[in-house]
Coordinates of all heavy atoms in Angstrom, one line a residue:
E1460 N -5.7 -24.0 8.1 CA -6.0 -25.4 7.9 C -4.8 -26.2 8.3 O -4.9 -27.4 8.6 CB -6.4 -25.6 6.5 CG -7.8 -25.1 6.2 CD -8.2 -25.3 4.7 OE1 -7.3 -25.5 3.9 OE2 -9.5 -25.2 4.5
A1461 N -3.6 -25.6 8.2 CA -2.3 -26.2 8.6 C -2.1 -26.2 10.1 O -1.0 -26.6 10.6 CB -1.2 -25.6 7.8
G1462 N -3.0 -25.6 10.8 CA -2.9 -25.5 12.3 C -2.0 -24.4 12.8 O -1.5 -24.4 13.9
K1463 N -1.8 -23.3 12.0 CA -0.9 -22.2 12.4 C -1.8 -21.0 12.9 O -2.9 -20.8 12.5 CB -0.1 -21.7 11.2 CG 0.5 -22.7 10.3 CD 1.6 -23.5 10.9 CE 2.2 -24.5 9.9 NZ 3.2 -25.4 10.5
H1464 N -1.2 -20.3 13.8 CA -1.8 -19.0 14.2 C -1.5 -18.0 13.1 O -0.5 -18.2 12.3 CB -1.1 -18.4 15.5 CG -1.3 -19.3 16.7 ND1 -2.6 -19.5 17.2 CD2 -0.5 -20.0 17.5 CE1 -2.4 -20.3 18.3 NE2 -1.2 -20.6 18.5
V1465 N -2.4 -17.0 12.9 CA -2.2 -16.1 11.8 C -2.3 -14.6 12.2 O -3.2 -14.3 12.9 CB -3.2 -16.4 10.7 CG1 -3.1 -15.4 9.5 CG2 -3.1 -17.9 10.2
V1466 N -1.4 -13.9 11.7 CA -1.5 -12.4 11.7 C -1.5 -11.9 10.3 O -0.7 -12.3 9.5 CB -0.3 -11.7 12.5 CG1 -0.4 -10.2 12.3 CG2 -0.3 -12.1 13.9
V1467 N -2.5 -11.1 9.9 CA -2.7 -10.6 8.6 C -2.9 -9.1 8.5 O -3.6 -8.6 9.3 CB -3.8 -11.4 7.8 CG1 -5.1 -11.2 8.5 CG2 -4.0 -10.9 6.4
E1468 N -2.2 -8.5 7.6 CA -2.4 -7.0 7.4 C -3.8 -6.9 6.8 O -4.2 -7.7 5.9 CB -1.4 -6.4 6.5 CG 0.1 -6.7 6.9 CD 0.4 -6.3 8.3 OE1 -0.1 -5.3 8.8 OE2 1.2 -7.0 9.0
Y1469 N -4.6 -5.9 7.2 CA -5.9 -5.7 6.6 C -5.8 -5.5 5.1 O -4.7 -4.9 4.6 CB -6.7 -4.5 7.2 CG -6.0 -3.1 7.0 CD1 -6.1 -2.4 5.8 CD2 -5.3 -2.5 8.1 CE1 -5.6 -1.2 5.7 CE2 -4.7 -1.3 7.9 CZ -4.9 -0.6 6.7 OH -4.3 0.6 6.5
P1470 N -6.8 -5.9 4.3 CA -8.0 -6.5 4.7 C -7.8 -8.1 4.8 O -6.9 -8.6 4.2 CB -8.9 -6.3 3.5 CG -8.0 -6.2 2.3 CD -6.8 -5.5 2.8
L1471 N -8.6 -8.7 5.7 CA -8.5 -10.2 5.8 C -8.7 -10.8 4.5 O -8.1 -11.9 4.2 CB -9.6 -10.6 6.9 CG -9.8 -12.1 7.1 CD1 -8.5 -12.8 7.4 CD2 -10.8 -12.3 8.2
S1472 N -9.6 -10.3 3.7 CA -9.9 -10.8 2.4 C -10.6 -9.7 1.6 O -11.1 -8.7 2.2 CB -10.9 -12.0 2.4 OG -11.4 -12.3 1.1
L1473 N -10.5 -9.7 0.3 CA -11.3 -8.8 -0.5 C -12.7 -9.1 -0.6 O -13.5 -8.3 -1.0 CB -10.7 -8.7 -1.9 CG -9.3 -8.2 -2.1 CD1 -8.8 -8.2 -3.5 CD2 -9.1 -6.8 -1.5
D1474 N -13.1 -10.3 -0.1 CA -14.5 -10.7 -0.1 C -15.0 -10.9 1.3 O -14.5 -11.7 2.1 CB -14.6 -12.1 -0.9 CG -16.0 -12.7 -0.9 OD1 -16.9 -12.0 -0.5 OD2 -16.1 -13.9 -1.3
P1475 N -16.0 -10.1 1.7 CA -16.5 -10.2 3.1 C -17.0 -11.6 3.4 O -16.9 -12.1 4.6 CB -17.7 -9.2 3.1 CG -17.4 -8.2 2.1 CD -16.7 -9.0 1.0
T1476 N -17.6 -12.3 2.5 CA -18.1 -13.7 2.7 C -17.0 -14.6 3.1 O -17.1 -15.4 4.1 CB -18.9 -14.2 1.5 OG1 -20.0 -13.4 1.3 CG2 -19.4 -15.6 1.8
E1477 N -15.9 -14.5 2.3 CA -14.7 -15.3 2.6 C -14.1 -15.0 4.0 O -13.7 -15.8 4.8 CB -13.7 -15.2 1.6 CG -12.4 -16.1 1.8 CD -11.4 -15.9 0.8 OE1 -11.1 -14.7 0.4 OE2 -10.8 -16.9 0.3
A1478 N -14.1 -13.7 4.3 CA -13.5 -13.2 5.6 C -14.3 -13.8 6.8 O -13.7 -14.2 7.7 CB -13.6 -11.7 5.6
A1479 N -15.7 -13.8 6.6 CA -16.5 -14.4 7.7 C -16.2 -15.9 7.8 O -16.1 -16.4 9.0 CB -18.0 -14.2 7.4
E1480 N -16.0 -16.6 6.7 CA -15.6 -18.0 6.8 C -14.3 -18.2 7.5 O -14.1 -19.2 8.2 CB -15.6 -18.6 5.4 CG -17.0 -18.6 4.7 CD -16.8 -19.0 3.2 OE1 -15.7 -19.1 2.7 OE2 -17.9 -19.2 2.6
L1481 N -13.4 -17.4 7.2 CA -12.0 -17.5 7.9 C -12.1 -17.3 9.4 O -11.4 -18.0 10.1 CB -11.1 -16.5 7.2 CG -10.8 -16.8 5.7 CD1 -9.9 -15.7 5.1 CD2 -10.1 -18.1 5.5
I1482 N -12.9 -16.4 9.8 CA -13.1 -16.2 11.2 C -13.7 -17.5 11.9 O -13.2 -17.9 13.0 CB -14.0 -14.9 11.5 CG1 -13.2 -13.7 11.1 CG2 -14.3 -14.9 13.0 CD1 -14.1 -12.4 11.1
Q1483 N -14.7 -18.0 11.2 CA -15.3 -19.3 11.7 C -14.2 -20.4 11.7 O -14.2 -21.2 12.7 CB -16.5 -19.6 10.9 CG -17.7 -18.7 11.1 CD -18.8 -19.0 10.1 OE1 -18.7 -19.9 9.3 NE2 -19.9 -18.3 10.3
L1484 N -13.4 -20.5 10.7 CA -12.4 -21.5 10.6 C -11.4 -21.4 11.7 O -11.0 -22.4 12.3 CB -11.7 -21.4 9.3 CG -10.6 -22.4 9.0 CD1 -11.0 -23.9 9.1 CD2 -9.9 -22.1 7.7
A1485 N -11.0 -20.2 12.1 CA -10.0 -19.9 13.1 C -10.6 -20.4 14.5 O -9.9 -21.0 15.3 CB -9.6 -18.4 13.2
Q1486 N -11.9 -20.1 14.7 CA -12.5 -20.5 15.9 C -12.6 -22.0 16.0 O -12.4 -22.6 17.1 CB -13.9 -19.9 16.0 CG -13.9 -18.4 16.1 CD -15.3 -17.7 15.9 OE1 -16.2 -18.4 15.5 NE2 -15.4 -16.5 16.3
A1487 N -12.9 -22.7 14.8 CA -13.0 -24.2 14.8 C -11.7 -24.8 15.1 O -11.6 -25.8 15.7 CB -13.6 -24.6 13.5
K1488 N -10.6 -24.2 14.6 CA -9.3 -24.7 14.7 C -8.6 -24.3 16.0 O -7.5 -24.8 16.3 CB -8.4 -24.2 13.5 CG -8.8 -24.8 12.2 CD -8.4 -26.3 12.1 CE -8.6 -26.8 10.7 NZ -8.1 -28.2 10.5
K1489 N -9.3 -23.4 16.8 CA -8.7 -22.8 18.0 C -7.4 -22.2 17.8 O -6.4 -22.5 18.5 CB -8.7 -24.0 19.1 CG -10.1 -24.5 19.5 CD -10.0 -25.5 20.6 CE -11.3 -25.9 21.2 NZ -12.3 -26.3 20.2
R1490 N -7.3 -21.4 16.8 CA -6.1 -20.7 16.5 C -6.3 -19.2 16.4 O -7.4 -18.8 16.1 CB -5.5 -21.2 15.1 CG -4.9 -22.6 15.1 CD -3.7 -22.6 16.0 NE -3.1 -23.9 16.1 CZ -3.4 -24.8 17.0 NH1 -4.3 -24.5 18.0 NH2 -2.8 -26.0 17.1

Side-chain angles (χ1 to χ4, degrees):
E1460 289 177 343
K1463 318 292 188 186
H1464 299 295
V1465 178
V1466 172
V1467 57
E1468 310 302 327
Y1469 64 76
L1471 173 54
S1472 168
L1473 295 180
D1474 177 10
T1476 300
E1477 180 181 46
E1480 293 171 355
L1481 294 173
I1482 292 173
Q1483 293 177 350
L1484 178 60
Q1486 294 169 348
K1488 292 286 187 177
K1489 294 181 171 57
R1490 288 294 179 267

